[in-house]
Amino acid sequence: MADYTSPKPVDPIWYQTNAFLRIDCRCRRSVTYPLGDFARVHRLPSSMALYELIDRLRCENCGERPSSAKVTRHP
């Protein structure tokens, strides 16, 4: 049975604004943001797909791409 409640990579940001963005980096930095707040602060278009957002991420600490990033329903 399909799980329609979990975020999918093709979902636009506006569809998952109550979800959380979990980012882990190789430099051991780990952060979790409410997705809607993250999108507003960084002025991302609400029509952007989650996979596009994840492709654009960079670590604030070291500047590298994160080792993992995912959108979840729970922090």
Side-chain angles (χ1 to χ4, degrees):
M1 183 174 206
D3 180 10
Y4 294 106
T5 60
S6 65
K8 308 289 185 281
V10 294
D11 288 345
I13 292 172
W14 67 264
Y15 190 68
Q16 297 294 343
T17 57
N18 294 327
F20 294 89
L21 178 61
R22 169 86 178 167
I23 306 167
D24 297 310
C25 187
R26 289 176 192 85
C27 71
R28 297 187 180 174
R29 179 175 165 85
S30 179
V31 293
T32 302
Y33 298 107
L35 181 60
D37 294 344
F38 184 86
R40 272 188 294 283
V41 167
H42 294 283
R43 295 183 177 174
L44 300 173
S46 61
S47 61
M48 178 183 281
L50 297 178
Y51 75 88
E52 293 174 313
L53 165 63
I54 291 171
D55 278 350
R56 295 178 59 175
L57 292 175
R58 295 283 183 176
C59 178
E60 291 178 349
N61 220 20
C62 67
E64 295 295 319
R65 293 189 181 270
S67 59
S68 72
K70 61 182 177 179
V71 178
T72 63
R73 284 282 180 198
H74 306 285

